[in-house]
Amino acid sequence: MKTQGEIEAAICQGISRFEQEYMGRGPKDIHTFLLGELLVIRLQGVLTAAEQHLVKTLQADKGRDLLKQVRFQLVETARPILDAMVEEITGIKVLSLHHDISTVTGEEIIVFTLAESPIVRETRKK
């Protein structure tokens, strides 16, 4: 049995590795928050130089929409990989995945809804 912090750290490592291997670039910063049956991951600095250039050079709405569509498709295609990683770390089945990215800040949010709250080991007080 893992502590909440161990689960959150393992998710950060797994998502960072996924971003590097699958998206071509890892985040500058990442935080995971386990809130009951919700797993919220906040990634900062995820846009590649090409994505930043695309957003800046195309008409604002077109660049943003195109980038969001591509990222959506990439995440949906990789969903079995992401679900399996989360299920392996938490021991709980994933029910849904929600994803969005800001083309202005380069921040990405991923939310997993789990079938139930993972049972965590209490941390020892020092």
Side-chain angles (χ1 to χ4, degrees):
M1 186 184 308
K2 299 174 184 165
T3 66
Q4 180 172 334
E6 289 170 338
I7 290 172
E8 292 170 344
I11 295 291
C12 283
Q13 289 174 343
I15 294 290
S16 286
R17 189 170 42 256
F18 166 80
E19 289 279 329
Q20 289 170 346
E21 294 171 1
Y22 200 81
M23 300 294 201
R25 172 191 175 150
K28 289 184 180 173
D29 196 25
I30 183 171
H31 294 282
T32 297
F33 307 94
L34 178 59
L35 308 165
E37 69 276 356
L38 291 179
L39 193 60
V40 180
I41 302 123
R42 179 183 182 207
L43 302 98
Q44 294 173 292
V46 296
L47 294 178
T48 66
E51 289 171 330
Q52 291 173 5
H53 183 70
L54 176 74
V55 171
K56 288 178 185 172
T57 57
L58 288 179
Q59 189 177 27
D61 289 348
K62 286 184 181 182
R64 182 194 68 225
D65 291 347
L66 182 58
L67 177 62
K68 285 182 177 253
Q69 287 174 359
V70 168
R71 284 280 181 147
F72 174 81
Q73 287 300 323
L74 289 170
V75 169
E76 282 301 308
T77 301
R79 174 119 189 240
I81 297 166
L82 293 167
D83 285 357
M85 181 205 53
V86 169
E87 288 177 15
E88 182 180 331
I89 292 168
T90 64
I92 305 294
K93 180 174 175 39
V94 172
L95 297 179
S96 63
L97 180 151
H98 308 276
H99 169 267
D100 198 12
I101 188 165
S102 169
T103 58
V104 176
T105 64
E107 179 178 75
E108 183 176 17
I109 300 292
I110 303 170
V111 179
F112 290 92
T113 303
L114 306 175
E116 59 186 286
S117 300
I119 298 171
V120 295
R121 187 179 81 235
E122 291 295 316
T123 55
R124 292 185 221 155
K125 305 284 183 197
K126 293 184 177 185

